[in-house]
Amino acid sequence: MLSLKNLWVEYGDKIVLERISLDIAEGSFVSIIGPSGAGKSSLLRVILGQERPTRGTITLDGAPLPAECGPDRGVVFQRYSVFPHLTVLGNTLLGLEFAQSPFTARLFGAQRRAAVGEAEAMLASVGLGDSLHLYPAQMSGGMQQRLAIAQALIKRPRILLLDEPFGALDPGIRADMHGLITRLWREHGLTIIMVTHDIKEAFSLGTRVLTLDKRRHDPHAPHRYGAAVVYDLALRKSVDEAGITIDANHNNGHE
Amino acid sequence: MRWVNRRPGRGTAFLLGAVPLAVLGLTYIIASAARHAANPADKILPLPGAMAQAMALLVFEADPLSGEYLFWADTAASLWRLGVGLGIATISTLLVGLVLGVLPPVRATLGPLVTAIAVVPPIALLPILFIVFGLGETAKVALIVVGVTPFMIRDVAGHVAALPREQVVKALTLGANSWGVMLRVALPQAMPRLIQALRLSLGPAWVFLISAEAIAADVGLGYRIFLVRRYLAMDVILPYVAWIAVLAVVIDFALTQSSRRLFGWAHGTAH
Ligand SMILES: Nc1ncnc2c1ncn2[C@@H]1O[C@H](COP(=O)(O)OP(=O)(O)OP(=O)(O)O)[C@@H](O)[C@H]1O
Ligand SMILES: [Mg+2]
């Protein structure tokens, strides 16, 4: 469904990513791991449309992806994903308000009641049904990430991009969030691309794990070579989470 | 207990804050009494009674020439100029600062102009304003506007431009366009900062107001102070200065309170 062809990302003369070619199937859960600075966030930003690749194309179902962020791709960052000036309900309503009211970006009357109902249902499904009127500053990190997920999902995006969404959470909350994201992924038929530093998380959640790293290294000019996909593992999950089998090792990219 | 950890309660803090003010007042009275003991006709440090007498004339008795209660006429004129000036400054800041902060092309176009205006000392522009607008109200209001707006615009635009990029990206993925980002993301988060900038601009605004009134006016707190200066009328000047301080404190307090009331999320207070 999502297809990246020969993608290069450069900042000035620093090459961050080189020759990234990927096909991502609808409904897959792709985890991206790799050392810090490898360009994981850069790849996500390019797919999101926040930045343009220096070379290469991205197509969604064969059509070039618009190079601007839009409601077809949802995102949750590690931080700053929710708006501090809006309550939980306000944050969740925002996506509906932008869509239904282009001029005032606010809803009134029956339209608002319908939107509030939808937002409340979404918040209930991420476990924030009792916190509708809290502001983000009054919530824990885990609650804020739940809100960020609800806020993104209410737009029914086809693709959800997550950049270290659980990086700042403690292990217990993290496990809860893993359960939550897996459930929402199945329920909404999402395609998820998640960057993480936690290898265990990458393997336990993903149906496919990509590793970004530099394949070549010039000790005198480290910036001349970018990172590429060095491992690309497809996982087949049995119903009980214990049995992960590494299925294939295609598109691995070594010359 | 270490000093950094000592937090006075409300009552204690009030008392502590009152002490320096009381000391100041007491020092004045002692100094004034001492001067009057040496020279009963001293005009430099009038006794409280003399100040009350002089002020009573301005506050409670209509001026025989104009039929106006001068103190109230001065206060109304000055507050009107201050209010109109700061009102225009606030509205222009909101419009320009928001657009400047949110839209990079506009920032590239207008940013240098705002900076250029901001570095000109406003008082140097006062003669130009008098020439252009005449000696009436417009020039005085214009001085306040010219004096505080560039600073406020730069402050608010800088704050908006420094909002995390993630917020803008997030809004776009939620279906917003530039207008939506401005209206629902930037504007609400600019408001508390705008009030903050307004508070910081109050001091300069008073300076510009009083300068303009001192040079060309026929009513106003600054005008009165500079008028009675010719007669060394400290019994009027000191109460007027104190009154200006009271007005400034009240306005500042009202702004702080309204910001807390309206934008509680920005002050870390629970709703
Ligand atoms: N806007 C930019 N301008 C210049 N260089 C950049 C920019 N953004 C990222 N880089 C560089 O690109 C490289 C990859 O950055 P990126 O944030 O994608 O890494 P990452 O894999 O997400 O790292 P981390 O795991 O620490 O988040 C880094 O070396 C960084 O210095
Ligand atoms: Mg990153």
Side-chain angles (χ1 to χ4, degrees), chain B residues 9 28 41 110 253:
Chain B
Y28 177 84
L110 294 183
F253 181 77

Side-chain angles (χ1 to χ4, degrees), chain A residues 36-37 39-42 45 78 163-164 195 197:
Chain A
S36 193
K40 305 182 294 295
S41 299
S42 304
R45 282 200 296 271
Q78 184 174 1
D163 194 350
E164 300 184 38
V195 168
H197 266 141

